[in-house]
Amino acid sequence: MSQKTFRLPDLGEGLTESEIVTWRVAEGDAVTVNQVLADVETAKAVVEVSSPFAGVVAALHGAEGETLEVGAPLVTFTLEGAEPDVGGPAEADGRVPTLVGYGAAPDTGKPGRRARRGSAAPATSAAPAGEPARGQAPSTSEAPAGAGRPQPEAAEPVRADAAPEAVRGAASGERPRCTPPVRLYARRAGVDLEQVTGTGVGGVITRADVEAFLAGGGQPAAAATPPQSGAESGSTGGVRTLGGRPRTEAVPVKGVRKATAAAMVQSAFTAPHVTEFLQVDVTETMELLAELKASREFRDVKLTPMTLAAKACLVAMERTPDVNARWDEAAGAIVQQNFVNLGFAAATPRGLMVPNVKDAQAMSLAELADAIRDLTGLAREGKLSPADLAGGTFTLTNVGVFGVDAGTPIINPGEGAIIAIGQVRRMPWEHRGEIALRDVMTLSLSFDHRFVDGEQGSRFLADVGALLRRPGLTLTMV
């Protein structure tokens, strides 16, 4: 019998951590290959992680609600007989394919990295005589005085009580190792990472290490925080607070909320946004919606103003496909996309999600309505797959469902435009030369001005408005 530790795999989405939502097994359980071990939440979706081994669960690493870094131990198994082949030969960098993406690379100390500017190239770790150690990082404990000493084939993970210089690689002159989110958290907290001991895989500094440093008396680099007033420290002094809750509460930013925040900042400060507004008399569209709901063909189809607005956008793109393109910075090109993966914003308990309907341009109205309904249900249940959230080309957001007229939506990263539809309001409107009560909606279109000019954006918005004002115009545009 032997023991084998399964590490949290790279889910193939460029993410560095996942939160354990639910354990599906317990210590002592016998599991088979491909049996689901846990549900974990990445920044994009809740994903099932399956077992690459058949054996008995010896230990679970992490509690529900805890966030683990990719490569951290997830489950330790007790195996009988020879160790199973879980994915064929190892890759060139030593990683072994797992059931989901790739497992962490063998723990050889530190991942390879380029030398920092202005510093000498770090020495490489030990290798067979006459052969350079390609792709390997400098040994974190190597120093000139220790040159020539034999090195182990695979270094043991650095323990929390190891010497700080062993964790931080002070001898090599490199900065402390951690993920970008942890580095940002430390900077905002005013913590000097040189003073923090890393307990993650290979000595990587985790968020928990920074929090432990602060809790253990470590002081931020900034000036000490002034004493809180009685009201801020928990004493309300008889003043009523919202919902009777404490005056302040810290809500961890993680999962979908964390990814949404990063995406919005990236989009807002990368793509030059232009937003245009158009008020439209949608009385005829609302009448059409009522007729369709009463018809036998659409009796079991969930039709809403957003469904008809989405169809209008797809028809308008036939005349102005520029809003469905994307900007390729690396290639220095505008990529024209002759298909539409129509995204729509869905508010869920986990935060805002934007699943997209693949090849929406080829769907009938009923098929489009069913696809939106199905994806909305999966979003609310937290069962969207990464594929459901990736590859969008154009997004529609319905702010009208909250009773809002208009807004300035932020473009989903990687796309060229987003349209927001406001609430349908009954209001006085000029109709056939007279003032009458009509159903009016406001459309808000934001587009990337690097490749969508005002002409294209305005033409597209005008076409969508015309289709919602007089749905019969669809016959003239297709």
Side-chain angles (χ1 to χ4, degrees), residues 131-468:
E131 181 179 336
R134 299 180 58 191
Q136 294 186 2
S139 171
T140 57
S141 60
E142 186 174 0
R149 291 182 297 183
Q151 300 293 323
E153 293 183 3
E156 291 294 326
V158 180
R159 301 186 349 247
D161 58 354
E165 58 269 23
V167 176
R168 298 189 295 269
S172 65
E174 293 188 67
R175 64 178 181 174
R177 294 187 298 128
C178 63
T179 61
V182 173
R183 193 174 300 280
L184 177 61
Y185 172 72
R187 184 166 67 247
R188 288 177 174 174
V191 173
D192 180 6
L193 289 175
E194 292 286 352
Q195 306 301 320
V196 181
T197 299
T199 62
V201 178
V204 172
I205 297 174
T206 66
R207 183 187 179 101
D209 294 330
V210 178
E211 292 173 345
F213 174 79
L214 291 170
Q219 293 297 318
T225 304
Q228 293 182 320
S229 65
E232 292 177 340
S233 62
S235 173
T236 61
V239 178
R240 184 179 181 276
T241 59
L242 295 176
R245 296 186 294 270
R247 293 184 69 84
T248 59
E249 295 178 272
V251 179
V253 180
K254 57 185 179 180
V256 174
R257 176 65 61 195
K258 186 176 182 179
T260 301
M264 293 300 96
V265 170
Q266 175 193 351
S267 176
F269 293 99
T270 301
H273 284 54
V274 172
T275 303
E276 295 184 341
F277 304 90
L278 179 66
Q279 279 192 312
V280 183
D281 178 354
V282 295
T283 306
E284 290 188 23
T285 288
M286 299 306 292
E287 292 172 350
L288 173 62
L289 185 63
E291 292 177 8
L292 291 175
K293 288 181 176 180
S295 69
R296 179 181 303 175
E297 182 182 358
F298 290 92
R299 186 172 300 164
D300 299 324
V301 178
K302 184 179 180 181
L303 291 176
T304 66
M306 189 187 88
T307 313
L308 298 183
K311 190 63 177 178
C313 288
L314 294 171
V315 174
M317 280 181 201
E318 294 285 346
R319 288 161 50 109
T320 313
D322 306 80
V323 297
N324 190 56
R326 66 180 175 87
W327 180 271
D328 189 335
E329 185 73 36
I334 299 170
V335 180
Q336 298 287 351
Q337 300 171 128
N338 300 318
F339 62 93
V340 184
N341 290 346
L342 182 65
F344 59 94
T348 75
R350 288 185 171 86
L352 181 69
M353 291 188 173
V354 188
N356 60 82
V357 178
K358 302 295 190 290
D359 285 317
Q361 82 286 346
M363 293 183 174
S364 66
L365 181 62
E367 291 171 337
L368 180 62
D370 288 342
I372 292 175
R373 179 199 61 201
D374 293 343
L375 286 173
T376 300
L378 291 174
R380 289 172 178 166
E381 296 170 7
K383 295 182 178 179
L384 289 170
S385 69
D388 293 328
L389 296 159
T393 63
F394 180 89
T395 295
L396 183 148
T397 180
N398 182 9
V399 298
V401 72
F402 303 109
V404 174
D405 293 330
T408 54
I410 298 178
I411 304 167
N412 214 23
E415 300 178 11
I418 180 173
I419 192 168
I421 63 171
Q423 67 171 325
V424 177
R425 299 183 58 190
R426 194 76 170 167
M427 59 187 298
W429 196 260
E430 189 276 329
H431 178 63
R432 295 179 180 176
E434 297 181 355
I435 300 298
L437 286 178
R438 306 288 288 177
D439 291 325
V440 178
M441 172 191 289
T442 301
L443 303 175
S444 312
L445 177 72
S446 293
F447 52 88
D448 188 335
H449 212 347
R450 289 177 297 183
F451 60 97
V452 180
D453 295 333
E455 177 189 356
Q456 289 103 339
S458 299
R459 184 189 301 127
F460 173 77
L461 184 59
D463 282 347
V464 174
L467 289 168
L468 293 176

